[in-house]
C-alpha cells in the first residue's frame, strides 16, 4: 500500500452519482431525477451508431455518439436506460437494448463492487472507475509480469506518482495497491479485509480508481489498483 499527496495540482470535476453531473462532460436535467439502480459491467455497443444522451429518454440532448463494437463501462440503470462511461470519460445514458454485456473485466468489477459496498457501509462516496487509470494499471501489472518484480516502484515506470505524471493524469492525491494470488475470490477477500489495503480503498482522499488483474501464468494473478483524488 502506498499513499502520496500532491497539493499543487487542482482540477475541478464535479461528479454526482445520482446522475453524474459534470461541468466539462455532462449536465443532466433535474427533471430526469429518477432512482438509479447500481449495476456495473463492461458493455459493447451492438448497433451501427448509438446516441448517448443527457437523460433517460430521446427528448434529452445528445452528448456523444458511439459506433458498433465500442466498449463502455455500465455504472447504473434508470428504467430501461443504462448510465454509461465512455472510453473518453464522457458520462451519459442510452437505451439498454443497444448495449451487450461482454463479460469482460468481471474480476475487476467484482473487486470494485466489493470495495464500494464497504465504502457505502462506512458512508464514504463510492469510487468511480476511470478508464485511463485502468489502462495505466494494466501497464503496471504487465511491467511487473515482464520484469519479475513485486514493488510499488518500477525501474521502467518509476514510482506511482511518476508513472501518472508520465501519462499526464491530473490528481491531488495518489495511492496504489498491489497483490498476487492464485484465486480471484482470495484477492477480493484480501483487498477488502486487510487493514493495509483498506487504508487506500476506504480512504476519503480518493474518488477515482483503475483496476487491472492479469494472469502471471495459469496458476497466479497480479492485481494493481490505482487511486486518485480530484476535487
Amino acid at each position: 500500500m502506498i499513499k502520496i499527496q500532491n497539493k499543487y495540482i487542482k482540477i475541478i470535476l464535479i461528479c454526482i452519482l445520482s446522475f453524474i453531473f459534470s461541468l466539462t462532460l455532462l449536465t443532466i436535467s433535474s427533471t430526469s431525477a429518477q432512482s438509479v439502480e447500481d449495476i456495473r459491467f463492461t458493455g459493447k455497443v451492438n448497433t451501427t451508431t448509438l446516441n448517448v444522451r443527457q437523460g433517460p429518454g430521446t427528448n434529452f440532448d445528445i452528448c456523444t455518439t458511439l459506433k458498433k463494437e465500442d466498449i463502455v463501462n455500465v455504472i447504473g440503470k434508470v428504467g430501461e436506460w443504462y448510465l454509461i462511461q465512455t472510453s473518453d470519460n464522457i458520462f451519459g445514458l442510452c437505451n439498454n437494448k443497444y448495449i451487450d454485456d461482454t463479460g469482460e473485466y468481471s474480476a475487476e468489477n467484482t473487486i470494485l463492487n466489493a470495495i464500494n459496498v464497504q465504502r457505502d457501509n462506512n458512508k464514504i462516496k463510492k469510487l468511480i472507475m476511470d478508464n485511463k487509470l485502468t489502462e495505466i494499471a494494466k501497464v503496471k501489472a504487465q511491467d511487473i509480469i515482464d520484469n519479475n518484480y513485486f514493488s510499488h516502484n518500477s525501474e521502467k515506470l518509476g514510482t506511482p506518482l511518476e508513472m501518472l505524471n508520465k501519462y499526464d493524469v491530473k490528481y491531488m492525491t495518489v495511492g496504489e495497491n498491489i497483490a498476487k494470488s492464485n484465486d480471484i475470490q482470495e484477492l477480493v477477500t484480501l483487498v477488502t479485509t486487510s487493514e493495509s489495503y483498506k487504508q487506500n480503498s476506504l480512504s476519503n482522499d480518493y474518488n477515482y480508481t483503475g483496476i487491472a488483474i492479469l494472469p502471471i501464468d495459469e496458476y497466479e494473478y497480479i492485481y494493481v489498483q490505482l487511486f486518485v483524488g480530484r476535487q
Side-chain angles (χ1 to χ4, degrees):
M1 182 279 298
I2 186 170
K3 179 177 178 181
I4 305 167
Q5 292 206 0
N6 185 314
K7 296 184 179 179
Y8 64 87
I9 297 179
K10 294 185 179 180
I11 300 296
I12 299 178
L13 293 174
I14 302 174
C15 292
I16 301 176
L17 274 177
S18 60
F19 263 117
I20 302 188
F21 291 81
S22 173
L23 295 179
T24 58
L25 302 176
L26 175 67
T27 302
I28 295 176
S29 169
S30 60
T31 60
S32 65
Q34 304 175 37
S35 61
V36 179
E37 180 184 350
D38 186 15
I39 61 171
R40 293 177 184 271
F41 63 87
T42 300
K44 181 186 291 185
V45 177
N46 63 19
T47 187
T48 305
T49 58
L50 177 61
N51 292 328
V52 180
R53 298 183 179 273
Q54 294 183 357
T58 55
N59 57 312
F60 289 90
D61 290 341
I62 297 170
C63 52
T64 191
T65 300
L66 302 174
K67 61 182 184 298
K68 193 170 185 177
E69 305 296 317
D70 279 351
I71 299 298
V72 299
N73 288 327
V74 177
I75 57 177
K77 187 178 181 184
V78 184
E80 296 182 351
W81 290 72
Y82 283 146
L83 177 59
I84 66 168
Q85 177 189 24
T86 72
S87 60
D88 298 322
N89 276 338
I90 295 175
F91 296 90
L93 294 102
C94 59
N95 194 289
N96 60 13
K97 66 182 178 181
Y98 301 119
I99 299 290
D100 293 332
D101 187 347
T102 66
E104 297 176 359
Y105 309 118
S106 58
E108 289 87 342
N109 280 331
T110 297
I111 285 181
L112 178 63
N113 289 338
I115 289 173
N116 275 339
V117 166
Q118 285 199 335
R119 289 175 72 92
D120 192 50
N121 290 339
N122 287 275
K123 302 188 185 305
I124 305 170
K125 288 185 178 179
K126 295 179 180 180
L127 292 171
I128 300 170
M129 187 76 87
D130 183 278
N131 291 328
K132 190 171 185 178
L133 288 177
T134 295
E135 290 304 313
I136 298 170
K138 290 179 184 177
V139 171
K140 175 64 174 287
Q142 191 61 55
D143 185 61
I144 291 174
I145 295 170
D146 292 343
N147 295 290
N148 193 28
Y149 71 94
F150 186 71
S151 171
H152 292 293
N153 298 332
S154 161
E155 288 187 9
K156 178 182 177 181
L157 302 173
T159 66
L161 192 151
E162 291 169 338
M163 181 173 64
L164 294 188
N165 286 341
K166 177 181 178 181
Y167 287 94
D168 197 30
V169 174
K170 308 304 180 184
Y171 56 83
M172 293 187 67
T173 53
V174 174
E176 180 185 72
N177 284 347
I178 59 175
K180 287 183 179 180
S181 177
N182 58 8
D183 181 80
I184 295 299
Q185 187 54 51
E186 185 178 289
L187 264 178
V188 174
T189 301
L190 175 65
V191 302
T192 56
T193 60
S194 168
E195 292 302 320
S196 60
Y197 286 96
K198 287 197 290 186
Q199 287 183 44
N200 278 333
S201 64
L202 297 185
S203 172
N204 266 316
D205 292 337
Y206 307 120
N207 47 10
Y208 291 87
T209 191
I211 307 172
I213 299 174
L214 299 182
I216 298 173
D217 51 38
E218 60 181 312
Y219 303 109
E220 193 173 30
Y221 298 90
I222 180 69
Y223 147 86
V224 176
Q225 182 166 7
L226 295 171
F227 302 84
V228 162
R230 301 178 185 136
Q231 282 190 346

